[in-house]
Amino acid sequence: MTAVLRKHNLCSLRSFLTPQHNLRLYPRILIASAYGLLHTAAEPQHSVEAAKKLVPCEHLEQNQAKPISLAQNHGEFVISVIKSITLKTQLAQVHAHILRTSLVQDPKVSLHFLTRVALSGPLQDTNYARYFFGQISYPSVYLYNTMIRAYSVSNSPEQGFYLYRDMRRRGFCIDPLSSSSAIKSCIKIQYLLGGVQVHGCILKDGHQSDSLLLTALMDIYSQCGKCDEACKVFDEMPQKDTVAWNVLISCYIRNNRTRDALNLFHVMQSGSYKCQPDDVTCLLLLQACAHLNALEFGERIHGYMLEHGYCASKLSNSLIYMYSRCGCLDKAYEVFIATTNKDVVSWTAMISGLAMNGYGRAAIEAFEEMQRMGIRPDDQTFTGVLSACSHSGLVDAGMAFFHRMSEEFGITPNVHHYGCVVDLLGRAGVLDQAYQLIMSMVVKPDSTIWRTLLGACRIHGHVSLGERIIEHLIELKAQEAGDYVLLLNMYSSASQWEKVAEVRKLMKEESIQTTPGCSTIELKGVVHEFVVDDTSHRRNKEIYQMLDEINAQLKIAGYVVELSSELHKLDDKEKQYVLAYHSEKLAIAFGVLATPPGTTLRVANNLRVCVDCHNFMKIFSWVYNRDLIVRDRNRVHHFRGGHCSCSDYW
């Protein structure tokens, strides 16, 4: 029986060792130790005898003449075994051995073992790592750092911060890596107070010159909405590398300073800093361009990417998204065609781009072509194709896709898919069916899906259903200012002014503030921003004069102000005045003022374009013979010759 066990353990030992671990290279005492590693009952003489059988005699004789350090060589051998481990069962065996031989207190051995358990892919087990860490009597800074780093990427990042705090309380000399991992732990749980505490420790420890550490600090402030603090840390950096600039750009984008983010592209390359943007910089700036509708700037980034050979699939997909959001589908398609390895993300970006620009049937054709190419759609692809059906009023096709995704592709519909179908049915005026679909959902409906149906109620004037939806939103405690605006719109359209007054009184009592309409237009790489009745622009007087002239020309052509677009109970003259200076109209007037005749104007608005502005834009495109591309919260409108690509279905 003993012989069988020994044979089994010897085989297990060999399974630890990779081909490069040749047993012939180890002296017999190390082989004996390795044998004992897996066979706790082995006697010393048995181990030596086993070693004699494994190692040639001449090699043993050669090693006998040389003095060796048993403890040192044993530890090194165990480290080599740790590196070769591929299974958790082997890990447990090694753990048992280093406990039995007290190697757990050897800093090198314990660090290698902890690293494999805490950070190594398939063997990673944070709970096991913490258990092992607790068995070390006097853990070093390196062991603490390994555990904190492991927690920072785990599902328990708060433990990383607690361990960092424990480390400081025990009087350890903290290095920058300790603080960096602690900050990453705070970032993952958005723990601003923890980040501030680590910041104080960094100053106390004298590590304020470590650029990587300060970059991590910027990130915690950025993600917690403290943009000014992040900027202060950036300004204090002795060396500002590309990573630091990328974090600052990301900070600006995340905190609604998107125009400032674009400006950094030139600042970082200026003579003062001479820092070259990398592929991550381009990725972030393309997102900013898509948000601001800054096509010219996006084209500049595209040119920079081509010049520097940045052609990763993520960048190509971001380019497709940016061009689509800016209403430039021809260039989005060019990038798509030029993408060599089109994956599901590339196809989804193109399908979604066609959808938001109102080309529903083209999006469906792209979906079918994608399947012919052998690319399997994912849940995001179906969100895109369902959205395409919604924007184009393709009810039957949309419902067919909704059923196919689960029956044919095995994809369970999520709340976003249900939202697209509710939008599809709501736009088509089938409001009761849309409501029943929400009530029958397997997943719990969120506030967004109720708002989608509320928007459809506003379009079709279904007041009673709109009131019911508001009740659902109140139950979810998710009502927002925009919900009350939609309700106000329904009441005012139905001339129910008493209810309008009640809602306004409630909004005032609850201090509910509506989001002001904001429009942007980009000219020569500079983004200009307008709000309703805006007087902040330096060419303010000229803009208002131009808008008055445009209004006069359009009225001659038959434009009549849509008074129902104004929600306040005003007389007709007052309503006409208020509607005349919406932010979209101011942006268009500035575009006419600042560009040659015939130039295409591109405007982005943060809200859904109102009926009056939509009518204004259609007639403007005909009278002034200009293409006008306007992106609102829901989609992109292409105005040309008095018509809109949405066919008044938005």
Side-chain angles (χ1 to χ4, degrees), residues 195-226:
V196 172
Q197 290 174 335
V198 177
H199 190 178
C201 293
I202 290 170
L203 297 176
K204 180 181 177 181
D205 297 334
H207 295 152
Q208 58 267 36
S209 297
D210 191 302
S211 295
L212 289 176
L213 189 52
L214 295 182
T215 301
L217 266 178
M218 286 176 60
D219 208 9
I220 180 67
Y221 284 129
S222 168
Q223 296 206 33
C224 293
K226 299 295 182 180

Side-chain angles (χ1 to χ4, degrees), residues 418 422 431-446 449-450 453 465 468-469 472 475:
Y418 278 107
V422 168
L431 300 181
D432 291 332
Q433 185 178 342
Y435 182 77
Q436 291 303 320
L437 177 66
I438 296 177
M439 298 303 293
S440 66
M441 284 171 54
V442 178
V443 295
K444 184 178 180 180
D446 62 2
I449 203 167
W450 285 117
L453 186 54
L465 181 57
R468 209 181 319 165
I469 292 169
H472 285 291
E475 287 178 11

Side-chain angles (χ1 to χ4, degrees), residues 519-521 530 543 546-547 550 582-595 601-603 613 616-617 620 624 626 628 630 639:
S519 296
T520 58
I521 183 170
F530 298 90
I543 291 170
M546 176 56 71
L547 184 53
I550 292 172
H582 274 192
S583 62
E584 303 98 308
K585 295 177 180 177
L586 291 170
I588 292 169
F590 174 67
V592 173
L593 187 68
T595 62
L601 301 181
R602 300 174 185 275
V603 176
C613 285
F616 175 95
M617 293 167 188
F620 168 84
Y624 280 79
R626 285 190 185 233
L628 176 61
V630 178
F639 296 93

